[in-house]
């Protein structure tokens, strides 16, 4: 069976080596499509199809517990999803989103990691399972991106010291949560009276990771989201102090993707982790 037929109605620009399009299928459904156009942004051994496959797998997995776009096609050169009609955020929608996010996390995962290769933007991530979250976070998320970040040796040494403390500062052990994995505010679309998750780097992780990333770049009505989340599934004592810990990985990703402009924010978070 070949690719589905669709008529492009709007070009939405480019991001991470693919074109973004709004289109209509023959049956009238509106869809969102990512089209691979620039393989040069990928490492030589990685193709855009890996990123598309990872996103599709993550959406289907998250969709077992929360509203996400339907995966209509996931091929080597494009990913086609159901269109999400956006609306303005509001306090009630934020509270509904907070409760649904808690239910998503509570759906759980079989391990820390995932059975598919991971991606965040165009960067590959190792999702191989690890028994405990501190070990997973250090070996699968922080250290691999630290090696790519081209930071001065003194900064690398400080980050490595923080990694050595992960088990000590991670808080009470929790079972693997079903997390989005790249939950900045741009990956939450407001629709249908709640938040709809897009562009996941989904895996079994720590639920505080998603909440810390929502705080990293700001989300409308975040206090309402967090309040409703706490009512649905209270967080462990001290979770606010651990926010910088969970922000280390996304900040390292930004250093890798966009350069040293994020170095100060990263090192500030590292110092706060070392002070825990």
């Amino acid at each position: 069976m070949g690719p589905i037929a669709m008529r492009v109605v709007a070009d939405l620009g480019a991001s991470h080596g693919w074109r973004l399009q709004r289109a209509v299928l023959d049956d009238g459904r509106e869809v969102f499509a990512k089209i691979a156009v620039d393989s040069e942004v990928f490492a030589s051994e990685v193709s855009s199809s890996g990123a598309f496959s990872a996103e599709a797998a993550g959406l289907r997995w998250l969709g077992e517990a929360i509203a996400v776009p339907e995966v209509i096609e996931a091929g080597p050169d494009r990913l086609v999803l159901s269109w999400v009609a956006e609306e303005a955020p509001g306090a009630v929608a934020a509270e509904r989103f907070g409760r649904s996010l808690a239910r998503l996390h509570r759906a759980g995962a079989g391990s820390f990691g995932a059975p598919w290769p991971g991606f965040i933007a165009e960067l590959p991530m190792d999702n191989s399972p690890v028994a405990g979250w501190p070990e997973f976070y250090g070996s699968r998320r922080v250290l691999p991106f630290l090696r790519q970040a081209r930071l001065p040796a003194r900064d690398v040494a400080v980050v490595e010291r923080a990694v050595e403390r992960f088990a000590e500062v991670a808080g009470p052990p929790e079972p693997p949560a079903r997390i989005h994995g790249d939950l900045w505010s741009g990956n939450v679309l407001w629709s249908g009276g709640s938040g709809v998750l897009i562009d996941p780097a989904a895996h079994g992780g720590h639920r505080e990771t998603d909440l810390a990333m929502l705080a990293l770049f700001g989300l409308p009505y975040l206090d309402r989201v967090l309040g409703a989340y706490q009512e649905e599934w209270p967080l462990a004592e001290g979770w606010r102090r651990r926010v910088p810990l969970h922000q280390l990985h996304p900040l390292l990703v930004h250093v890798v993707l966009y350069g040293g402009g994020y170095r100060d924010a990263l090192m500030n978070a590292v110092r706060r982790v070392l002070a825990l």
Side-chain angles (χ1 to χ4, degrees), residues 13-20 34-44 46-49 51-52 76-78 121-122:
S15 176
H16 300 295
W18 40 75
R19 299 297 306 178
L20 309 179
K34 290 183 178 181
I35 313 295
V37 294
D38 184 2
S39 61
E40 293 181 1
V41 301
F42 296 99
S44 59
V46 178
S47 70
S48 59
S49 63
F52 292 164
D77 300 314
R78 72 179 186 180
E122 70 266 26

Side-chain angles (χ1 to χ4, degrees), residues 19-129:
R19 299 297 306 178
L20 309 179
Q21 298 176 339
R22 183 175 183 176
V24 177
L25 303 184
D26 288 344
D27 61 10
R29 284 182 294 168
E30 286 191 288
V31 296
F32 171 80
K34 290 183 178 181
I35 313 295
V37 294
D38 184 2
S39 61
E40 293 181 1
V41 301
F42 296 99
S44 59
E45 73 276 10
V46 178
S47 70
S48 59
S49 63
F52 292 164
S53 295
E55 182 173 345
L59 283 171
R60 289 173 176 134
W61 188 55
L62 299 179
E64 295 172 3
I66 196 174
V68 298
E70 176 190 359
V71 178
I72 296 171
E73 179 184 279
D77 300 314
R78 72 179 186 180
L79 177 67
V80 182
L81 308 173
S82 59
W83 181 260
V84 177
E86 293 187 71
E87 60 196 25
V92 173
E95 291 171 1
R96 187 175 291 130
F97 174 59
R99 289 189 290 271
S100 65
L101 186 61
R103 290 192 293 270
L104 169 68
H105 291 165
R106 208 165 202 166
S111 63
F112 293 106
W116 54 82
F119 278 82
I120 187 163
E122 70 266 26
L123 301 176
M125 293 195 301
D126 186 354
N127 277 341
S128 301

Side-chain angles (χ1 to χ4, degrees), residues 129-260:
V130 177
W133 181 78
E135 295 81 9
F136 173 82
Y137 192 55
S139 66
R140 300 291 190 259
R141 293 297 181 261
V142 174
L143 291 177
F145 289 90
L146 179 62
R147 289 191 285 268
Q148 300 175 57
R150 299 182 180 179
L151 291 169
R154 63 182 182 276
D155 289 350
V156 172
V158 175
V159 176
E160 290 174 339
R161 278 180 24 225
V163 172
E164 292 172 357
R165 296 200 64 217
F166 282 180
E168 179 184 349
V169 302
E174 292 201 357
R178 188 171 305 205
I179 72 169
H180 179 281
D182 188 16
L183 197 55
W184 72 289
S185 59
N187 285 341
V188 179
L189 302 183
W190 298 99
S191 182
S194 185
V196 176
L197 303 183
I198 63 169
D199 289 345
H203 63 279
H206 199 301
R207 60 193 180 119
E208 291 176 14
T209 296
D210 274 352
L211 301 179
M213 190 144 188
L214 285 176
L216 185 58
F217 299 113
L219 179 79
Y221 300 97
L222 180 59
D223 57 336
R224 296 294 190 100
V225 173
L226 295 174
Y229 186 105
Q230 288 274 55
E231 291 177 3
E232 185 74 25
W233 189 15
L235 293 156
E237 183 179 354
W239 70 271
R240 289 187 184 276
R241 296 194 305 273
R242 293 188 291 273
V243 167
L245 168 65
H246 292 271
Q247 291 178 342
L248 294 184
H249 174 238
L251 285 169
L252 273 166
V253 169
H254 278 72
V255 173
V256 173
L257 287 173
Y258 306 116

